[in-house]
Amino acid sequence: PTQTAVIRSRANSRRAGVEFSMPVFIFYRVLFYPFMNQFNKKTLNILEQIGKSDQHFLRLWRAGGITRKQLISKTVLHKKKLEEILDQSGFPNKTNASKKAYKSSVLVALHSGDKIFMKNFLKMLIKQPGISIDSSDSALLIDKIAVLEKKYQIYGTQSQIGMHNKKLTPYPIVDIGGV
């Protein structure tokens, strides 16, 4: 029989309760391993919680409930926790973690204020398969890094609230007509 026929027959026998042979298991693992969930529930929960906490403290700060210094200290703690998870478990994307965990990690990176961390996070983000990330997240990071480096942003994702008129205005953009 051909290789395809052997794989089909073994896959059909698996459905009937028969175990995979080793070549089929290796074939399966090579094809599907990158998309398998590698984050345990505890790690996913931690990622999702730091995302919620990040948003909570940002809202508190905007409402005047905490000082900028308190916000920064919370942000530093969130970033440290994310760094630990990245070191231990790798990059959480939408296919190997959960969408919430992935989005939480992006938010924490964006709000960290640490250019070096954001650049490293961006490098990890762009190495992910396209289906497992949102391309808009790389645009957010690229622009945030540019703003922190006092450069023009590319995608126009970052804005500031005017001191006197309280209007939202974008930070300078390289090609405003192209946005």
Side-chain angles (χ1 to χ4, degrees), residues 43-105:
T43 305
L44 290 174
N45 189 40
I46 291 169
L47 281 168
E48 291 171 10
Q49 288 303 314
I50 62 174
K52 283 181 186 176
S53 179
D54 174 80
Q55 292 298 288
H56 171 73
F57 285 106
L58 194 56
R59 279 191 299 274
L60 269 178
W61 175 71
R62 285 181 182 149
I66 61 172
T67 65
R68 181 161 174 76
K69 188 176 180 177
Q70 290 170 315
L71 176 66
I72 290 169
S73 71
K74 291 294 182 183
T75 303
V76 168
L77 292 174
H78 295 149
K79 184 194 85 154
K80 284 181 182 177
K81 193 63 186 169
L82 178 58
E83 283 176 319
E84 288 172 20
I85 291 170
L86 292 171
D87 288 343
Q88 294 169 0
S89 303
F91 189 89
N93 60 46
K94 294 188 300 187
T95 53
N96 71 2
S98 69
K99 185 169 183 170
K100 265 188 182 178
Y102 161 70
K103 284 297 194 180
S104 292
S105 66

Side-chain angles (χ1 to χ4, degrees), residues 2-167:
T2 66
Q3 186 73 17
T4 307
V6 171
I7 291 169
R8 278 194 198 123
S9 66
R10 287 185 181 147
N12 288 336
S13 64
R14 181 177 163 266
R15 280 188 226 123
V18 179
E19 299 245 342
F20 270 167
S21 68
M22 192 50 108
V24 172
F25 175 75
I26 292 169
F27 171 77
Y28 178 85
R29 186 170 175 115
V30 167
L31 265 182
F32 298 107
Y33 183 73
F35 304 105
M36 295 171 78
N37 191 335
Q38 70 184 29
F39 289 86
N40 62 40
K41 287 185 180 191
K42 181 181 178 187
T43 305
L44 290 174
N45 189 40
I46 291 169
L47 281 168
E48 291 171 10
Q49 288 303 314
I50 62 174
K52 283 181 186 176
S53 179
D54 174 80
Q55 292 298 288
H56 171 73
F57 285 106
L58 194 56
R59 279 191 299 274
L60 269 178
W61 175 71
R62 285 181 182 149
I66 61 172
T67 65
R68 181 161 174 76
K69 188 176 180 177
Q70 290 170 315
L71 176 66
I72 290 169
S73 71
K74 291 294 182 183
T75 303
V76 168
L77 292 174
H78 295 149
K79 184 194 85 154
K80 284 181 182 177
K81 193 63 186 169
L82 178 58
E83 283 176 319
E84 288 172 20
I85 291 170
L86 292 171
D87 288 343
Q88 294 169 0
S89 303
F91 189 89
N93 60 46
K94 294 188 300 187
T95 53
N96 71 2
S98 69
K99 185 169 183 170
K100 265 188 182 178
Y102 161 70
K103 284 297 194 180
S104 292
S105 66
V106 172
L107 282 173
V108 170
L110 278 167
H111 297 155
S112 72
D114 181 339
K115 291 183 286 191
I116 294 168
F117 175 70
M118 280 191 259
K119 285 179 180 182
N120 290 332
F121 188 88
L122 178 62
K123 286 177 189 175
M124 289 185 272
L125 177 75
I126 60 177
K127 287 181 184 176
Q128 302 302 306
I131 194 169
S132 64
I133 62 165
D134 293 333
S135 57
S136 60
D137 294 330
S138 57
L140 286 165
L141 280 159
I142 289 166
D143 280 354
K144 181 74 171 195
I145 293 165
V147 167
L148 291 173
E149 292 178 340
K150 308 277 190 239
K151 296 178 182 175
Y152 283 41
Q153 55 180 329
I154 297 169
Y155 302 102
T157 64
Q158 303 298 304
S159 299
Q160 61 186 337
I161 297 175
M163 295 282 279
H164 303 290
N165 62 8
K166 302 292 183 194
K167 286 187 179 180

